[in-house]
Amino acid sequence: MSAWLAEAPNRNMLWARLFVDELARGGLREVVIAPGSRSTPLVFAFAECPAITVYSLLDERGAAFFALGLAQAADRPVAILCTSGTAAANFLPAVVEAHYGRIPLLVLTADRSHELRDSGANQTVDQVRLFGTHALWSVDVALPEADPPAVLLRSLRTLAARALAAADGMPKGAVHLNFPFRKPLEPVAEAMSPAAIPLGPENGAPSIRVLRAAQTPSEAQIARLAEVLQAAERPAVVCGPRCPDGDFPAVVRALAERAGAALFADVLSGVRAGDSGLAGYDTVLAGKPVLQAPDAVIQFGAPPTSQALTDYLNAASGPRLTVTADGVWQDPDHRTTDWLWADPTELCRVVTVRLAAREPSVWQTAHRRAAQAARKALAEVRRGHFFDGGAVAAVIEALPEGAQIFAASSLTIRNLDQFAALDRPVRVIGNRGASGIDGTVSSAFGLAAAHPNAPTALITGDLALYHDMNGLIAGHRLGLKLIIVVINNNGGGIFRRLPVAKFDPPFEELFVTPHGLTFEAAAGQFGLVYRRPGDEAELRAALAEALAELRSVLIEVITDSSADLAVRRNVIARSIARAATLD
Amino acid sequence: MSAWLAEAPNRNMLWARLFVDELARGGLREVVIAPGSRSTPLVFAFAECPAITVYSLLDERGAAFFALGLAQAADRPVAILCTSGTAAANFLPAVVEAHYGRIPLLVLTADRSHELRDSGANQTVDQVRLFGTHALWSVDVALPEADPPAVLLRSLRTLAARALAAADGMPKGAVHLNFPFRKPLEPVAEAMSPAAIPLGPENGAPSIRVLRAAQTPSEAQIARLAEVLQAAERPAVVCGPRCPDGDFPAVVRALAERAGAALFADVLSGVRAGDSGLAGYDTVLAGKPVLQAPDAVIQFGAPPTSQALTDYLNAASGPRLTVTADGVWQDPDHRTTDWLWADPTELCRVVTVRLAAREPSVWQTAHRRAAQAARKALAEVRRGHFFDGGAVAAVIEALPEGAQIFAASSLTIRNLDQFAALDRPVRVIGNRGASGIDGTVSSAFGLAAAHPNAPTALITGDLALYHDMNGLIAGHRLGLKLIIVVINNNGGGIFRRLPVAKFDPPFEELFVTPHGLTFEAAAGQFGLVYRRPGDEAELRAALAEALAELRSVLIEVITDSSADLAVRRNVIARSIARAATLD
């Protein structure tokens, strides 16, 4: 690549190539580009760089969410690039999600040069620190020069290395680099007299590395966690969304087992997959059971999706320990008594060894039986009713080992958390940082891009699908396959769970917002196969067919949110009745 | 309304009702609401307020652009409201446009209370100053209290009055009010002990008024403009986008006439309508004519759309005077020598009277003839070719007096500026503040909402339509009628005009971004009538039919951007040939 750098035709291209070269050396593998003119030098540099795959998408909002899905599924930083103006503003929703979801995202915006800023020039807006507190780091990059000093050229390599390190740091998140360019933006030749161009190591290694320490648990942390678990009679281990992957799921299960703890594993935690015994607690706890409250809580990951679990934990007395490697303060009920900032996997491993063996725990057994009762109640009710929760469960059951599932926010993720027993290793991902319903389709296609050979499904409600309908373009445009299951209950069914449901008007019109849309036409416009099953058997058939299909598929399940809520209550009531029988 | 205020059931509703009451007294007439839970108190207060029309839309990005279109067409502030989280982030693109387009927009976001902020609570993001430099004023409103002191309650009225005044100020723009609410969010009763509630005047007048001075031109301003016009041999008067309405168009034409000036009226200026002689200069000047450069330039409104005009003006010597009431610094080429910050209409009026009468001007005549030649060349070429410019001209010709036209950014607005002769009073509006292609459909529906009885058309390219496709929902959902004409050239045809067109790859794939989409399915999904005319006669027929239709209509014109560019060059070449003959 040295010739590529040494022979850059003009200052803009030199800037762009140096920066992109270091990104490639640093491990960046994907960039998502929305078309525009001011970004031309970076577009060319990315297109010319063989190590980086370029995805081209037309709506910046969706493009950024596509990158989020890709970054989450691939577990590495992904870059997004757009031109100047409101294009950059359309990145904000995904940048906010990257911030709270701790997803590494490199946000590259092209900008006008300084003489055009705040001057009334076309498509020129104030992009400096445009993302405010939602970017971990923000840089207004130096304008390219024809005779740059050596330190300025070196700083472009630093910029790339540092941006990657910051985005993939502790915590992870979005980094914003704003690149001003002056015309000509194309790779036309100009006379230049740069100082020595830093070409980087010949073997393609990074010019600058960032080597980090292990977050080894301290003796004080180990002793505190062991002491709390040992002393507790009713310990609870809670794994919220986005727990570490790797060995963590097995290790935290072993810890809970050794400690005689009740284990609550969120559907987004990564800990539930492979153990269908872990599903059902939301149903149990929503029924206000006679299960005693815990007397110690150990919390990993983000706050759990389940409101019933949250309420249950809030009834607990005793210590609450929250374990996190990156020190992000996630404790909305302000109940954490001890923060343990260390590698969660290592901490679990060491403490498990240290804990004394314990008698089989009545407490643990009571929780397991109650969850089992909830799963049986669901199976019973599904035989007689086709409802949103059953549809969600059916989708999960149909997917093979290794599948990826993107869960939309709002009712979908709650249904998954309540009803999805994951008896095989599948990965469930959602935008649970800010829990928006925006960018859903695009994020799901990002998963498909990360692992094109893994079956990938999106489960979504109608509002989330509508919100990012133009994200459907990714299937045909990028040759990606996604199975989309939309549970269409004609509006915001989740509001029926809230107290506001008793106040109509304006409840139906301004909260539920029924729209009457179905999505067959959208499937047609974007070249997706479309199916509308009328019961669970038809849904299973449609899913089997979709798995064998080469194109993306949109499966629309029409439900009634009032009826679904009644069925949900039925499942809860039956699970309480069953649990009582078991006792 | 005093009972409505005095009997507010709880603190949240008292807050919301007081604030909304003062907005209504201050003249707010419309709010656009995207559904959510945290915003419940404000949703109820707006729904209960008879003076304010509530529009409910499902995508916050589109909802905000709908408000922008409505505010521009109605020429008054419009409010938007959403719940907490990325919902608010989706407002940013429209907030940026409001800032640079000087459109009064009241941005209301609901937020979590302070104990939930930055705590990991669901759907909780940092909304304080979320819009950064793009809001004229940002307030994190006081949390509702059960026993508020009188001054706090009065401050809610002040907040409403001041927010309206700031948004509709000098300059106009977006004001952001962030309202934290704690549960319960519904209008359930609680015990309260508020101090005296400020009920406001019984006749419904505002509690607080802001009375502003007239921007009366000073003697120095009058003398300077008169002196420059008197001394110039080749004066040019340029009316860019968003000139004042009311008497300004007539008054500035009279000034140009009296001064013997060449008048350039942008299609978005409001000055071109009603005088078809004003169209054609872009064609003339794009042909690099022998017309001499001006020796004085008087500029009103924002910088003009036409690049050819900009280049031509930049060849001028002599003074350049820029007249603006609001002191916004719009001068991207940094050529203004005199800023006149005063009421443009008054200034024109006074200076016209003061100017000495002048011989008929050869300079003025040369420009008029050249523009006429351009119009004739267009008519000639249209007889043989169906191309984007001709289609745009045909749409304009088909619309009756009083019609509203929303022009999408990118190629559409340039085609309109070049080819649209407005021989009858119609209003052309575009988002020319930041010139994004986002929010186009929604903005156009906003025009229809402002004047439901005026025929309203949107002219757009395919990328802009795709970008805001879900904005199509407004027709059916809100009962609005819009005639949409999409010139579908399968991607970013505007890039063919740029030097980057010579560099393929990556030109076609990453700049033109052909997508192969057509929009019949989208029309079907959202209940629009769909037509696809194949020539100008069919287009005229489709437009006549659309004007008589009760529903919204989508007319798709398929063109070829390479061929269109060639036809455009043909029009330019012929207009030069014709102008030469005229001399």
Side-chain angles (χ1 to χ4, degrees), chain A residues 494-570:
Chain A
I494 196 166
F495 292 112
R496 298 199 191 280
R497 296 189 179 190
L498 301 180
V500 71
K502 295 194 199 98
F503 299 85
D504 190 33
F507 176 66
E508 282 288 332
E509 191 193 334
L510 296 181
F511 289 83
V512 178
T513 58
H515 47 69
L517 293 176
T518 57
F519 295 93
E520 181 164 10
Q525 184 175 22
F526 293 105
L528 283 77
V529 178
Y530 177 82
R531 293 289 175 269
R532 192 190 291 188
D535 57 31
E536 266 205 45
E538 285 181 21
L539 172 59
R540 279 195 296 272
L543 287 163
E545 184 196 6
L547 283 163
E549 178 61 61
L550 291 176
R551 282 187 295 163
S552 290
V553 178
L554 178 58
I555 300 173
E556 181 158 26
V557 176
I558 307 283
T559 66
D560 173 320
S561 56
S562 302
D564 287 354
L565 187 57
V567 178
R568 177 175 183 264
R569 290 192 180 126
N570 184 3

Side-chain angles (χ1 to χ4, degrees), chain A residues 250-261:
Chain A
V251 166
V252 75
R253 281 186 219 148
L255 174 70
E257 192 54 42
R258 180 83 175 181

Side-chain angles (χ1 to χ4, degrees), chain A residues 184-200:
Chain A
L185 303 168
E186 307 73 33
V188 292
E190 70 163 341
M192 287 197 294
S193 50
I197 296 172
L199 296 178

Side-chain angles (χ1 to χ4, degrees), chain A residues 405-416:
Chain A
I405 300 115
F406 191 87
S409 295
S410 192
L411 208 47
T412 305
I413 183 59
R414 289 181 176 83
N415 275 328
L416 269 161

Side-chain angles (χ1 to χ4, degrees), chain A residues 60-142:
Chain A
E60 295 80 11
R61 180 170 70 178
F65 275 105
F66 178 89
L68 280 195
L70 183 41
Q72 282 197 81
D75 198 21
R76 57 175 177 253
V78 172
I80 54 178
L81 169 62
C82 73
T83 189
S84 68
T86 57
N90 277 279
F91 280 167
L92 180 62
V95 169
V96 169
E97 177 59 30
H99 185 67
Y100 295 102
R102 314 297 163 189
I103 305 165
L105 188 70
L106 211 55
V107 185
L108 312 177
T109 56
D111 199 356
R112 311 277 159 145
S113 46
H114 298 69
E115 65 277 13
L116 295 181
R117 295 181 180 180
D118 229 352
S119 73
N122 193 35
Q123 248 180 288
T124 307
V125 314
D126 183 2
Q127 297 177 189
V128 176
R129 298 188 190 273
L130 181 64
F131 306 110
T133 53
H134 295 107
L136 291 170
W137 190 43
S138 266
V139 179
D140 191 30
V141 181

